[in-house]
Amino acid sequence: MMDSNRPDPDELLARVQAEEARRRHGKLKIFFGASAGVGKTYAMLEAAHERCLDGTDVVVGWVDTHGRAETEALLEGLETIPRRPMPYRGTVLYEFDLDAALARHPALILVDELAHTNAPGSRHAKRWQDVEELLEAGIDVYSTVNVQHLESLNDSVAQITGVIVRETIPDSILERVDEVELIDLPPDDLLQRLREGKVYVPHQAERAARNFFRKGNLIALREMALRQTADRVDAQMQAYMRDHAITRTWPAGERLLVCVSPSPLSARLVRAARRMAAGLRADWLVVYVETPSHLHFPEADRERVVQTLRLAEQLGAEVVTLSGHDVAEEILTYARRRNVTKIIAGKPTHPRWRDVLFGSLLDELVRRSGDMDVYVISGDQEEERLLPRRMLERTSNWSSYAVAALVVAAVTVVARLLLFSFLELSTLLMIYLLAVVFIAAQGRRGPSILASVLSVAAFDFFFVPPYLTFAVADTQYLVTFAVMLVVALLISTLTVRLQQQAHAARRRERRTSALYTLSRELASTRGLENLLKTAVRQIAEVFESHVAALLPDASGRLTVHTEKPSAFPLDADEQGVAQWVYEHGQIAGLGTNTLPGAEGLYLPLTAAHGTIGVLGLRPQNIQQVLLPEQFHLLETFASQTAVAVERATLAEEAQWTRVQIETERLRSSLLSSVSHDLRTPLATITGSASALLENGASLSEETQHELLLAIHEEAVRLNRLVANLLDMTRLESGAVVVQKEWHSLEETIGSALTHLDSALHDHPVMTQLPEELPLVPFDSVLIEQVLINLLENSVKYSPPATPIEVSASLADDAVIVGVADRGPGVPPGDEERIFAKFYRTNEADTQRGVGLGLAIARAIVEAHGGRIWAEQRSGGGALLRFLLPLGGPPPTLETELPVE
C-alpha cells in the first residue's frame, strides 16, 4: 500500500536540486548579534580553533579585534592572510585581500564584519560581495554581522536609535546562510563591558554610551536579533516538515490563520485576529480562497474582498490568495504547510438547509483540522442584521432562473405537441437532459439544478400515465425519475464546473501571458528611457489605464515618464501623493484608504535597494483594477518594472564607473608619461639657455653651437610631443575630416622618408614597391603622418646600423603598406595592445615618447576605413602593416595625343 503522506515529488526534487547546487559552493556561517561588543568575533575565533583541532584548514582573512586583548590572543596559532594596502587620497587603507584568499583556497576562512564597505578601487564595493565570491569558489566562510546591518531593518533601527546605519547587507544574504549562531548578551552586561573598555577605547565608549548604547536601544535591538533568529529557525523547521511529509502541526510557536470571504463579517474577523495575534505575540495570516464562483459575485462583494485584504495588510498580516474548488481543502493544506496552530472562521448566518444541501465550510474545517484549533467568531449585531439582506442581494439573480424555467417549458411544449406521438419516452428523456446541459453551459449552478428538478416534474406530469398528474401507474417510473434526476444533477454540476474551470484557466492564461510579455520585453530592452516606455505601454494596455512612471531626479523630486504627458498631468496635489508614496514605500491614492481623494492610484516601485520610484495609474474603472487577482497582477507588474529599472540604473552606473576608471587610468598614464617627457626637454632647454646667458662670453664657439643644437633638438622633440597630444585629441573628438583623393603612394612614402632624413641617417632604408602600383584614395597629409609615426617607432626600437624596410603590395581591392625593422620585436600577446594610448613595452622604459604614435596611426587608418596590425618578423624584429581599401578602379588619366 502506497504511503499517502510521502513528500511531494516536485517539491522534493526542487529541494534536492537546490541542495546539489549549494553543495558545489562553500557554506556560510554567520555569528549574529544585537550590537557590537556582544562577543561575535570572539565566538567565531573559538569556533575556528575547534575546527583546527578537527584537522580543518583554517585561515584568517580579516579579523578586527578593536584592541581587545582576549580577542587578539585567540589569533595566535591561526594562519593570517596579509592585508592589502589601498592608496586613497594621500593615505593608505588596508583591506581584505580577496585574490590572496582565492589563491590560498583554504577549507575555511574567517572574514569579520560582513557589512563593511571596501575602499575605493577594490574589486567589490562591499565585503559581503567578497564573501559571495569565496563561496562560489567552494570555500567555507565564517563571518559576523549585527542586526542593525540588515537592509530591511534599517528604517526601524534609525527610528529607535536615532542613528542611520550606512553599512547594510541585503536580507537575501541572511536567507541563504547555512547556519546562524546567535551571540546574545543582556544589555546590563554589555553596558558593563562598555564601561570596562572592552568594546571601544575610553573616549569612544563614553560617546557611544550617550548615543547608540543606551539601555532602551540595546533592549530593542536584542529583541530584533532574537526575532530574526527565531524566524530563521522557523523556516528551517517548516522545510524539514515539508521534506519529511509531516502533515500534523508542530506547536513550536503560535501562528494564526484567518479565513475571509465576501461576507461583511470578514472585517470583524480580521480585527479580532489582530487582537488575538497581539496577545499571543504570534504571526498571523489572512487567507482568501478564490473559487470559480468568485467571477459571478456582484461588484460590491468583490470590492468588499479587496477592502478586507487591504485592511489585513494595514494591520500587519501576511495576506494570501489561493485558488481552488474545495475551500476547506485549500485552507487546511496551506495551514499545514505553514504550521498554523489556530484557524479563525466566521460564524455562519445562512439557513441550516443550505449546509444540508451544499455542505458546511465550518463543519469541514472542524472535522478535518486535526491538531489545529478552530475558533468561530460572530459579527456585530448591526452586521448580522444586515447580512441576510446582503446575502439575498448576492444570490437573487432571478433572470437566470426564469430563463431555466422558460427553457424547460419550451422543451415540454415542443415534446408534447410535436414529438410525443412518435418518440419513445427514453428519447424524450434525452431531450430534457439536453435542455439541462444547455442551462448548465451558461455557467450557473442554481439555475441548472432548477432545470433538473423541473425537467423531472414536467416529464412525470405530461408524459407518464396517468397524464396531467404527478401520480404514476407503474412504480417502476419512480426509479426512472430518480435516475433522471441524479443524471441531470450530475450533468449540470459537471458542466457548470467545467465552464468555471475553463473561464478560470482563460483568466490565468491572460495574466500569465501579460506577465510573460512584459518580462520578455523588459529583458530585451536596453536603456532606461526605452525600458520605461515599454513598461508604461504594457501596463496601460493590460489595465486599460493612463500610466506614468515617476523617478526621482538628483534633488529627490519625482519626474514623470510617460508616452503621452497630456494624459497624465501631475499637479501639485498629485505630485504630493506620489512623493508620499515614494518616501513611505506604501500604496496610496484613488481607491485606497490613504489619500483617497487623489485622481490616480500610486504604487511604490520597490527593488532590492529600496523604493526607486513610483508607478501611477488613472484607470477607466478603478474597481476592476482593485479586484484581488487584478491588483496582485498589478503589483507583480510594478515589481518587474522596479527590478528592470534598477537593473538599467545599475548598468548605467557600472558603465559610468568603468568610464571613470578608464579616464582615471588614462589620466594617470598621461601624467606619468607626459611629466617625464616634458621635464626632460624642458630641463635641457633651461640648462642650455642658462649656460649661454650666464657664461656665453667665456664659452667656445663649438660649445655654444652644441648648446644651441641641444636647445633646438629638445624644442623640436617638445613640439612633437605637444603635436601628438593635440592630434590624438582631435582624432578622438572627430574634429579631423579625412579628405580622400587619388594619390601616388610612392610619392607619399618618399615624402615621409625625406622628412625623417636626419633620424634615419644611422639606418639603411630599403623600399620594395611594385612597378605597377595603382593610385590609392587617401588623405596624403594624414597617411604621411602614419608613415612617419611607423618609421619613428622603428628607429626608436632598432639598434643602429640595422636596416628598415618599407614595402607595399596589392591584395583584394586594397593596398597593404608595411614597415619592418630588426629590433626586439613585439612582445607575445601585445600585438593589439601596442596600438593603445600611452602603452609602452618594457623596452620602452629607456626610450623617449608617451606611447601615442601608434595610437594616432591606428586612428588615422581606421578613419580611412582600413586596419592596422603588428606581426613578429622571422629572424627577429617587428613588422607593422596597414591596409587601405581602393574602393574601386582608379581614374584613367587622359593624355594629349601629339599633333601631326
Side-chain angles (χ1 to χ4, degrees):
M1 180 177 179
M2 295 182 62
D3 183 9
S4 60
N5 291 327
R6 69 183 189 277
D8 181 82
D10 293 333
E11 291 185 3
L12 189 58
L13 177 60
R15 186 164 181 82
V16 168
Q17 291 174 340
E19 289 295 331
E20 182 64 26
R22 295 188 68 174
R23 193 174 294 114
R24 294 192 294 267
H25 292 68
K27 293 183 178 180
L28 175 61
K29 179 176 180 178
I30 294 293
F31 293 84
F32 191 60
S35 68
V38 297
K40 302 181 300 299
T41 304
Y42 190 90
M44 180 178 68
L45 289 170
E46 284 187 328
H49 279 284
E50 293 178 1
R51 293 290 299 273
C52 283
L53 294 176
D54 295 337
T56 305
D57 181 19
V58 181
V59 169
V60 176
W62 178 279
V63 167
D64 199 337
T65 64
H66 296 286
R68 302 165 191 159
E70 64 273 16
T71 306
E72 292 178 350
L74 287 176
L75 285 173
E76 296 180 2
L78 296 176
E79 178 185 347
T80 302
I81 294 178
R83 300 184 176 189
R84 180 183 179 186
M86 300 287 295
Y88 180 69
R89 293 185 178 179
T91 186
V92 177
L93 304 177
Y94 290 91
E95 292 290 349
F96 167 55
D97 195 336
L98 176 59
D99 291 325
L102 292 171
R104 173 64 175 79
H105 204 283
L108 172 64
I109 189 168
L110 312 184
V111 183
D112 203 7
E113 298 181 354
L114 188 62
H116 173 75
T117 300
N118 292 331
S122 302
R123 179 150 76 242
H124 299 130
K126 296 286 188 177
R127 184 167 292 167
W128 60 263
Q129 295 173 307
D130 295 339
V131 169
E132 283 189 329
E133 188 167 344
L134 292 170
L135 295 172
E136 290 177 1
I139 303 173
D140 293 347
V141 179
Y142 281 179
S143 189
T144 63
V145 72
N146 293 326
V147 68
Q148 66 264 28
H149 294 301
L150 290 179
E151 181 67 39
S152 62
L153 299 179
N154 194 262
D155 294 337
S156 300
V157 172
Q159 182 178 354
I160 293 170
T161 65
V163 178
I164 299 177
V165 179
R166 302 295 182 185
E167 294 185 329
T168 60
I169 64 171
D171 288 51
S172 58
I173 299 297
L174 193 63
E175 292 171 1
R176 67 146 293 177
V177 167
D178 297 277
E179 184 179 354
V180 175
E181 182 173 336
L182 177 65
I183 309 301
D184 187 36
L185 194 66
D188 291 334
D189 293 348
L190 179 57
L191 290 173
Q192 181 63 30
R193 285 175 53 84
L194 184 67
R195 286 190 291 270
E196 293 173 354
K198 295 182 178 180
V199 179
Y200 296 118
V201 295
H203 71 278
Q204 290 180 328
E206 182 180 353
R207 185 172 66 252
R210 292 195 306 267
N211 298 290
F212 190 83
F213 278 78
R214 294 195 297 267
K215 185 173 181 178
N217 293 349
L218 297 178
I219 293 174
L221 292 173
R222 188 187 187 197
E223 180 179 359
M224 287 183 177
L226 292 170
R227 287 186 177 276
Q228 286 292 325
T229 307
D231 290 342
R232 171 72 183 177
V233 174
D234 182 70
Q236 291 176 337
M237 183 184 69
Q238 293 188 37
Y240 179 87
M241 294 175 67
R242 286 195 302 270
D243 291 345
H244 293 79
I246 299 174
T247 57
R248 68 182 185 277
T249 301
W250 282 7
E254 296 288 355
R255 181 174 282 114
L256 280 61
L257 184 147
V258 188
C259 311
V260 299
S261 70
S263 169
L265 303 180
S266 294
R268 176 175 173 79
L269 292 182
V270 170
R271 298 188 188 97
R274 171 67 181 86
R275 292 193 296 270
M276 185 180 294
L280 296 172
R281 302 184 68 83
D283 297 334
W284 60 300
L285 315 169
V286 174
V287 174
Y288 171 68
V289 180
E290 183 182 287
T291 62
S293 60
H294 173 85
L295 301 174
H296 305 294
F297 285 173
E299 193 71 27
D301 283 356
R302 291 192 280 181
E303 169 63 19
R304 192 176 298 115
V305 171
V306 173
Q307 296 301 328
T308 301
L309 297 179
R310 196 170 302 284
L311 172 64
E313 288 180 342
Q314 293 172 352
L315 294 178
E318 180 182 346
V319 176
V320 180
T321 300
L322 306 175
S323 298
H325 290 280
D326 191 336
V327 177
E329 179 64 25
E330 295 296 332
I331 290 175
L332 292 172
T333 300
Y334 184 76
R336 293 188 184 98
R337 189 163 69 244
R338 296 298 302 272
N339 201 36
V340 169
T341 58
K342 292 177 172 57
I343 296 178
I344 300 175
K347 177 181 178 181
T349 57
H350 53 258
R352 178 65 181 171
W353 61 267
R354 292 190 59 190
D355 292 340
V356 175
L357 290 179
F358 305 112
S360 170
L361 171 62
L362 181 60
D363 184 63
E364 290 295 319
L365 290 176
V366 172
R367 290 180 181 276
R368 296 157 59 182
S369 58
D371 298 331
M372 290 176 283
D373 298 329
V374 179
Y375 289 77
V376 181
I377 299 178
S378 62
D380 294 332
Q381 293 182 355
E382 180 64 19
E383 290 178 338
E384 292 179 355
R385 184 180 65 80
L386 294 176
L387 184 60
R389 180 173 62 84
R390 289 170 175 168
M391 294 295 295
L392 181 64
E393 292 173 355
R394 194 176 77 185
T395 58
S396 60
N397 189 359
W398 299 113
S399 60
S400 56
Y401 290 91
V403 169
L406 289 175
V407 169
V408 173
V411 168
T412 301
V413 170
V414 172
R416 182 68 184 179
L417 298 180
L418 302 178
L419 306 176
F420 179 62
S421 58
F422 56 88
L423 289 181
E424 298 288 338
L425 291 181
S426 59
T427 306
L428 294 178
L429 282 176
M430 296 300 103
I431 296 176
Y432 275 106
L433 292 178
L434 180 63
V436 171
V437 172
F438 174 78
I439 298 300
Q442 308 308 310
R444 290 186 174 274
R445 188 179 181 186
S448 64
I449 294 175
L450 175 64
S452 301
V453 175
L454 291 179
S455 297
V456 174
F459 181 77
D460 179 22
F461 192 81
F462 291 102
F463 300 101
V464 175
Y467 303 119
L468 303 181
T469 177
F470 290 107
V472 292
D474 189 347
T475 56
Q476 292 182 358
Y477 282 111
L478 296 178
V479 178
T480 302
F481 298 154
V483 172
M484 178 180 176
L485 180 61
V486 170
V487 171
L489 289 175
L490 286 175
I491 290 176
S492 63
T493 300
L494 293 176
T495 304
V496 169
R497 181 173 297 179
L498 183 63
Q499 288 288 326
Q500 292 174 343
Q501 289 177 341
H503 191 78
R506 286 194 295 270
R507 289 191 302 112
R508 287 194 298 269
E509 190 277 332
R510 286 196 295 268
R511 292 201 298 264
T512 303
S513 177
L515 184 58
Y516 170 74
T517 301
L518 177 67
S519 301
R520 182 186 59 192
E521 294 202 9
L522 291 180
S524 61
T525 302
R526 293 294 179 268
L528 183 59
E529 286 298 328
N530 294 333
L531 189 147
L532 291 174
K533 290 180 180 178
T534 299
V536 166
R537 184 182 69 255
Q538 287 291 327
I539 297 174
E541 292 176 357
V542 173
F543 296 95
E544 298 180 353
S545 308
H546 295 301
V547 180
L550 299 93
L551 300 184
D553 56 18
S555 63
R557 182 177 177 81
L558 295 175
T559 56
V560 179
H561 299 263
T562 182
E563 288 189 322
K564 298 179 180 179
S566 59
F568 208 106
L570 205 66
D571 56 22
D573 293 337
E574 296 296 304
Q575 177 78 31
V577 175
Q579 197 72 32
W580 186 92
V581 171
Y582 173 69
E583 293 173 355
H584 293 80
Q586 300 178 17
I587 301 171
L590 182 65
T592 70
N593 293 328
T594 305
L595 304 173
E599 297 181 3
L601 172 65
Y602 299 92
L603 294 86
L605 294 176
T606 305
H609 293 84
T611 303
I612 60 174
V614 174
L615 182 68
L617 283 84
R618 293 190 177 180
Q620 299 178 6
N621 185 350
I622 184 60
Q623 301 303 329
Q624 187 69 24
V625 173
L626 292 179
L627 294 177
E629 66 275 10
Q630 284 292 95
F631 194 75
H632 290 162
L633 181 62
L634 177 59
E635 290 179 321
T636 304
F637 272 42
S639 299
Q640 290 286 333
T641 303
V643 171
V645 170
E646 185 180 49
R647 170 176 56 80
T649 304
L650 291 177
E652 291 182 356
E653 292 178 357
Q655 179 63 27
W656 181 84
T657 303
R658 284 195 295 269
V659 171
Q660 291 296 108
I661 292 173
E662 181 65 18
T663 302
E664 186 66 28
R665 188 185 67 81
L666 290 177
R667 183 184 295 112
S668 300
S669 300
L670 176 62
L671 290 176
S672 62
S673 300
V674 171
S675 60
H676 175 270
D677 286 273
L678 284 177
R679 189 182 300 115
T680 301
L682 287 175
T684 302
I685 293 173
T686 303
S688 300
S690 299
L692 288 173
L693 289 173
E694 296 174 2
N695 305 309
S698 61
L699 296 176
S700 64
E701 293 184 3
E702 182 180 357
T703 302
Q704 292 181 14
H705 180 270
E706 290 178 354
L707 292 175
L708 291 174
L709 183 60
I711 292 174
H712 177 266
E713 289 179 350
E714 294 301 328
V716 169
R717 177 188 167 196
L718 187 60
N719 179 67
R720 183 73 181 146
L721 171 63
V722 174
N724 279 340
L725 292 172
L726 293 176
D727 288 345
M728 195 73 246
T729 303
R730 293 170 61 214
L731 286 168
E732 290 189 336
S733 65
V736 175
V737 179
V738 177
Q739 298 179 352
K740 290 185 179 182
E741 294 182 1
W742 294 92
H743 292 282
S744 171
L745 194 57
E746 295 96 328
E747 294 180 0
T748 305
I749 293 174
S751 177
L753 293 174
T754 302
H755 184 85
L756 296 176
D757 185 56
S758 60
L760 293 169
H761 70 278
D762 290 336
H763 296 271
V765 177
M766 294 179 290
T767 59
Q768 298 177 3
L769 306 177
E771 294 181 359
E772 298 181 356
L773 191 64
L775 297 179
V776 182
F778 58 80
D779 189 315
S780 60
V781 176
L782 296 179
I783 295 301
E784 182 179 341
Q785 182 67 44
V786 171
L787 291 167
I788 291 173
N789 288 357
L790 297 184
L791 289 167
E792 284 185 337
N793 184 80
S794 296
V795 170
K796 183 187 301 183
Y797 294 106
S798 298
T802 57
I804 295 177
E805 300 177 9
V806 181
S807 62
S809 61
L810 290 172
D812 298 332
D813 196 31
V815 172
I816 298 177
V817 182
V819 177
D821 60 55
R822 287 298 178 184
V826 182
D830 285 4
E831 289 81 359
E832 286 294 328
R833 296 178 60 194
I834 64 172
F835 296 101
K837 295 188 294 293
F838 308 114
Y839 176 77
R840 301 174 68 185
T841 62
N842 294 332
E843 290 79 4
D845 293 339
T846 59
Q847 303 292 338
R848 298 178 177 181
V850 295
L852 284 177
L854 296 184
I856 293 173
R858 181 175 66 174
I860 293 174
V861 171
E862 290 179 350
H864 280 75
R867 63 186 182 91
I868 189 170
W869 68 95
E871 299 176 3
Q872 191 71 24
R873 199 177 177 196
S874 61
L879 174 58
L880 304 178
R881 293 183 173 183
F882 65 91
L883 178 147
L884 296 175
L886 292 176
T892 303
L893 298 178
E894 297 183 0
T895 58
E896 294 184 3
L897 297 176
V899 180
E900 296 183 353

